[in-house]
Amino acid sequence: MHQQTDVLVLGGAGVDTVVHVPELPLPFADSYMIRPGIETRAGQSGDFVALGLHALGLRTHHLDMIGDDHEGDLVRALHRDRGIPFTEVPQAAGTKRAVNLVAPDGRRLSLYDASRAHDSDRFQESTVRRLLAGTRHAHVVITQPCGFTVPVLREAGVTISTDLHNWDGVDAYHETFALQADIVFLSTTALTDPERTMRDITGRGRARIVVATAGADGSYLLYDDGLTHTPAVTPPAPVVDSNGAGDAFASGFLLGVLSGEHPRRCALYGTVAGAHACTVPSTRTDAIGREELLARVAEAEKDRAAEDIRTP
C-alpha cells in the first residue's frame, strides 16, 4: 500500500545565492564590500513550502527536476537532512538557481537563471500518478514543467493550490495555474487592482479561495464571493528577510485547510507563519512548528478580540 501523503509539492526545487546589499535599489558602483558575506544554500519556493508543511506536521512529498551537479547535491541534502521524501527527475540543463539581493530592511530582489529549463521538460505521468496514490492535496509551483501536470492532478481528484507570486494579472503563462487551481495565492506587488484580479480568477477559473498577500499590510481573502482583510501580526523577532514569507504563508494556510478550519482562520495561520519567516535570515531554512503556530494564532485571536471590545 502506498504511504499516505497530505501534500504533494510539485516543482520549485533549487539553490539561491544570498547577497546582502546596503540598500535596494542598489546604486551603480564598480564594487561593493559585502558583509555578512555571500552564501549559497538550497531552498527555493517548492523547497520552502515542503519544509514549512513538514515542520507543521503534514506528511509531505516533493517532486521536481534537478541536475547532476553541486546545486542538485545541495537540494538532495536539504531534503535528506530534514526527512522530507523527494522524488527527483533528471534535468540535463542543471538545477534551478537564483541570486537574491537582500537589503537591511529585509526586502529582496531575486535574479533567476532562466536557462535551467527546457520547453520540452515533462514529469512522467506514471511517476505523478504513483505519487498521487493516497495524496490529499497537491501544491503546484509555477516552475517548468508543472503546468503540464495539472490535468493529471485534476483527473486524480486531488485539490490543488498554487502561488502566482508577483503576477501582474495579465501574463499568459500564469493563467494555466491561476484558472485550474482550487486555492490560489498571489502577491499584490504587481497588481493595480488586487480585488479585480482576484475576482477574475474565481470568475474564469475553478478557484474557491483566492488569497492576495500584501506584506506589512496583511492579506486579502476572497471566499464565497466575500472579500475580507487579515491584518499583519507583529513578528516574534526583528524582521531580517522577507524571502520565503509567501511560501510560509501558503504552508500555514494549507495546514488550516487540511485541518478543516474556516478560510478566515486559515488566513491567520498563514499570517503567523509568514511573520515568523521574516525573522529567519536568508542563509537559514528554518520554519515554524505546529505547536508554536497554534499558540501564536490563539494569542493573535485573543488580542484581536480584546481590540474589538475596546473599539466602539
Side-chain angles (χ1 to χ4, degrees):
M1 180 179 295
H2 195 279
Q3 184 177 0
Q4 182 75 22
T5 299
D6 292 311
V7 184
L8 174 63
V9 178
L10 296 94
V15 168
D16 285 347
T17 295
V18 180
V19 183
H20 292 273
V21 296
E23 60 181 308
L24 284 175
L26 187 66
F28 175 78
D30 179 73
S31 61
Y32 283 91
M33 299 301 293
I34 299 299
R35 295 184 185 277
I38 298 173
E39 185 168 337
T40 298
R41 55 106 179 100
Q44 291 192 353
S45 184
D47 301 312
F48 282 131
V49 171
L51 285 166
L53 295 168
H54 179 74
L56 292 170
L58 292 171
R59 295 163 296 187
T60 307
H61 197 112
H62 193 185
L63 166 68
D64 201 9
M65 304 184 75
I66 60 173
D68 182 16
D69 47 27
H70 173 65
E71 290 78 9
D73 290 341
L74 292 176
V75 172
R76 296 179 189 95
L78 175 66
H79 289 76
R80 181 181 65 248
D81 294 346
R82 299 303 178 92
I84 301 172
F86 180 55
T87 296
E88 62 176 91
V89 176
Q91 171 55 276
T95 303
K96 289 183 285 294
R97 60 202 73 180
V99 175
N100 286 345
L101 306 183
V102 182
D105 62 1
R107 293 181 303 128
R108 81 178 192 280
L109 171 65
S110 296
L111 307 173
Y112 290 98
D113 182 347
S115 69
R116 305 300 171 175
H118 297 137
D119 290 342
S120 59
D121 291 341
R122 298 290 187 277
F123 295 134
Q124 284 194 347
E125 185 173 322
S126 59
T127 299
V128 176
R129 291 190 182 280
R130 174 176 59 81
L131 294 175
L132 285 172
T135 293
R136 300 173 61 192
H137 180 83
H139 181 78
V140 184
V141 183
I142 60 173
T143 54
Q144 178 79 357
C146 296
F148 297 102
T149 308
V150 172
V152 179
L153 304 179
R154 292 246 64 98
E155 183 182 333
V158 298
T159 53
I160 301 170
S161 60
T162 193
D163 190 339
L164 307 178
H165 297 283
N166 61 337
W167 186 38
D168 60 4
V170 178
D171 185 80
Y173 175 81
H174 294 70
E175 284 201 351
T176 297
F177 304 90
L179 303 184
Q180 292 297 317
D182 303 288
I183 302 171
V184 175
F185 303 101
L186 74 164
S187 167
T188 62
T189 303
L191 300 177
T192 56
D193 188 340
E195 181 177 355
R196 183 179 64 187
T197 300
M198 296 168 75
R199 291 193 180 279
D200 184 59
I201 291 171
T202 59
R204 295 195 296 129
R206 307 176 62 102
R208 60 185 182 87
I209 296 172
V210 180
V211 184
T213 56
D217 291 329
S219 64
Y220 298 89
L221 168 70
L222 181 60
Y223 171 72
D224 199 20
D225 204 38
L227 185 71
T228 57
H229 175 246
T230 302
V233 298
T234 302
V239 172
V240 295
D241 189 358
S242 61
N243 188 47
D247 303 318
F249 184 102
S251 300
F253 195 100
L254 291 177
L255 171 65
V257 169
L258 295 174
S259 300
E261 299 288 355
H262 189 279
R264 285 197 297 272
R265 195 158 198 250
C266 295
L268 184 54
Y269 277 36
T271 300
V272 168
H276 177 274
C278 290
T279 68
V280 178
S282 286
T283 52
R284 288 166 44 194
T285 52
D286 299 342
I288 192 170
R290 184 187 292 230
E291 185 175 338
E292 181 180 353
L293 181 139
L294 294 179
R296 293 194 179 279
V297 165
E299 181 180 349
E301 289 175 329
K302 181 179 178 180
D303 290 344
R304 291 177 182 183
E307 180 65 27
D308 289 342
I309 292 174
R310 289 193 297 268
T311 303

